[in-house]
Amino acid sequence: MFNTTRPVSLTKGALDELWFVGDFTKDLTDAATTTVSVVPVSAAVVVLEGPSLQGALGLVKLGAMSSGSASFTFRVTCANGEVFDRTILLTAVEDRLWVFGKDPDDQRFYAFDFAADLALSANTTLASVGTPIVVGMTALSGPSIQGSQVVMKFGGLAAGDTVNSCGLPVNFANGEKIYRSIYFTREDH
């Protein structure tokens, strides 16, 4: 990801726990050297694991962000004595991608589709689902993994300014964890 000296900008869910890979091939090739060590330099993001080196690659698992923007820097020391920084600028993504219209009297199944997230995470699979956080409605079933989707049945809908939603923590087989929500707006049928 680091083919120039400028920082790389990426988006991340504020609570997601994801692996990030830095590719230092260009820097190492230009200097005709190899990596010796890497030190983390982070701002407003929790470092959960690493960083570690695998040849020309740096791996780090990042967790919760404490603000809307954060950064992580791989500080790499080379065999020839050079030291360089390569930075990832992180921006928290708004978790409002899945919005459904719902009649308060309906009792329906809804699916959280994680196919795109799984593809970005090295084509891993869903491993488990945490406890849903349901606001303004009633969960009529527990979460069920069905391929790349998690399906739940909901009933009811709160009136007024209540945000009707269900937040769901999901664990991937590769050890990553993401948090996604579905939101409901009132539609009378």
Side-chain angles (χ1 to χ4, degrees), residues 47 84 90 153 182:
V47 177
F84 62 84
L90 299 165
K153 185 177 182 182
I182 56 178

Side-chain angles (χ1 to χ4, degrees), residues 6-72:
R6 289 177 293 194
V8 173
S9 296
L10 300 173
T11 58
K12 177 183 152 331
L15 298 176
D16 292 354
E17 298 176 5
L18 302 173
W19 286 100
F20 290 86
V21 178
D23 185 347
F24 314 121
T25 302
K26 180 176 180 348
D27 292 295
L28 299 172
T29 301
D30 290 350
T33 189
T34 59
T35 58
V36 173
S37 64
V38 62
V39 176
V41 180
S42 64
V45 64
V46 175
V47 177
L48 299 171
E49 292 184 42
S52 63
L53 291 172
Q54 293 184 5
L57 303 177
L59 290 96
V60 66
K61 188 174 185 182
L62 302 177
M65 296 169 52
S66 59
S67 68
S69 62
S71 66
F72 176 82

Side-chain angles (χ1 to χ4, degrees), residues 102-105 135-138 155-165 184-187:
K102 182 183 178 310
D103 186 292
D105 299 318
V135 177
M137 307 169 304
T138 303
L157 199 65
D161 292 335
T162 301
V163 175
N164 295 278
S165 65
F184 297 89
T185 58
R186 184 182 180 107
E187 281 185 6

